[in-house]
Amino acid sequence: MSQNPVLRNDWQLDEVQALYALPFNDLLFKAQSTHRAHFDANEIQISSLLSIKTGSCSEDCGYCPQSARYDSDITPEALMSIDKVLQAAENAKAQGASRFCMGAAWRKPKDKDIERVVEMVQGVKAMGLETCVTLGMLTDEQTQRLKDGGLDYYNHNLDTSEDYYSEVITTRTYQDRLDTLARVRDAGINVCCGGIVGMGETDVDRAKLLIELANLPKHPESVPINMLVQVEGTPLMGTEALDPIIFIRTVAVARIMMPESRVRLSAGRNNMSDEMQALCFFAGANSIFYGDKLLTTDNPMTNQDLALFKRLGVRTGGSSYA
Ligand code: SAM
Ligand code: DTB
Ligand code: SF4
């Protein structure tokens, strides 16, 4: 349990449902008040993503174009060279990113992959950027190696509620994910963990996902809330779109439950209006993925994001290196 009385780890379903059910203005007021008590309300942290190993993944995550099981339109690529990764990190830094996140389409990395990734982490860190990687399931030894290599954040999402999980993924369990998260936490690496909404889950599933995240022994430092990006060829293509108001409510409830975490408005921004994104920021989102690409799909262009920030009077920042 947390020693800080505002950081609760004992959320119950009925109280989370009660938050979701608040009149929209009351919910946003509560979320914004919470946000202001813990953060500079006009500052947003920006992370850039790079897919360092793309496609041919053995897993069956129903949302993911990188699974080898689905016929999506991506070109598989082996683990990138360190030079190419560092070049991409330089570009991200020049564009203004404070964190560089490297993602690999693996169920779990091999030990020799970890050594390459550690070299990437060290090179990116030397540029003054925060580092994050997402590589799938880890062993204790691999986690320790990443920690010793200086990694700042590990991203590993719970994706959805435990109940809905098996509708979306069958090749690894919810417990596998919790085990990797515990390893990362125990090794002293910052945890980036969130989920995806708009996958056909229910209101209860969304509430339960947030409960799983907030009731971890310590809140994740970063909580990415992804709106499903529907990709041709994946099983979740054609899922009924989630009401944008429910998405904004999800951001607000996450902010209230995890007041000191960076809540990231993650995948799906390319299909959101500027006004919807502004409401997500008002609801307490204070981080985005920045750069023209997520891993394999499009993200808003950087000049579009910078123009939006200017219109909203938002500053970028929030890096521990800044
Ligand atoms: N293979 C590793 C793993 O799954 O842990 C790391 C990379 S994986 C692509 C990282 C995360 O991206 C997934 O956990 C999922 O939350 C998110 N993601 C993948 N495809 C997505 C999509 N179409 N829409 C939204 N989020 C997606
Ligand atoms: C996260 O929660 N979202 C990012 C990052 N962590 C690795 C990935 C989004 C991927 C969207 C689909 C794609 O571009 O392939
Ligand atoms: Fe593989 Fe990760 Fe995509 Fe699942 S989300 S198919 S593990 S790359």
Side-chain angles (χ1 to χ4, degrees), residues 57 61 63-66 103-107 134-137 154-157 159 172 177 194-196 226-231 267 295 297:
C57 183
C61 311
Y63 46 75
C64 188
Q66 303 203 65
W106 285 319
R107 170 181 168 78
T134 179
L135 313 172
M137 294 184 285
Y154 194 80
N155 166 247
H156 199 63
N157 290 336
D159 279 348
R172 61 177 146 156
R177 292 190 185 234
I196 310 176
N226 296 275
M227 177 77 109
L228 174 69
V229 179
Q230 298 202 8
V231 185
L295 291 173
T297 64

Side-chain angles (χ1 to χ4, degrees), residues 13-14 19 53 63 78 86 93 96 104 147 162 165-166 212 218-219 238 240 242 246 250-251 258 268-269 291 315:
L13 184 58
D14 56 350
L19 285 174
K53 186 268 167 188
Y63 46 75
L86 297 187
K93 188 182 176 195
K147 173 67 186 170
E162 185 166 15
Y165 184 86
S166 60
E212 289 285 350
K218 190 172 176 217
H219 295 171
E240 191 182 343
L242 182 70
I246 296 183
T250 301
V251 170
M258 294 171 279
R269 288 195 305 115
R315 283 171 283 101

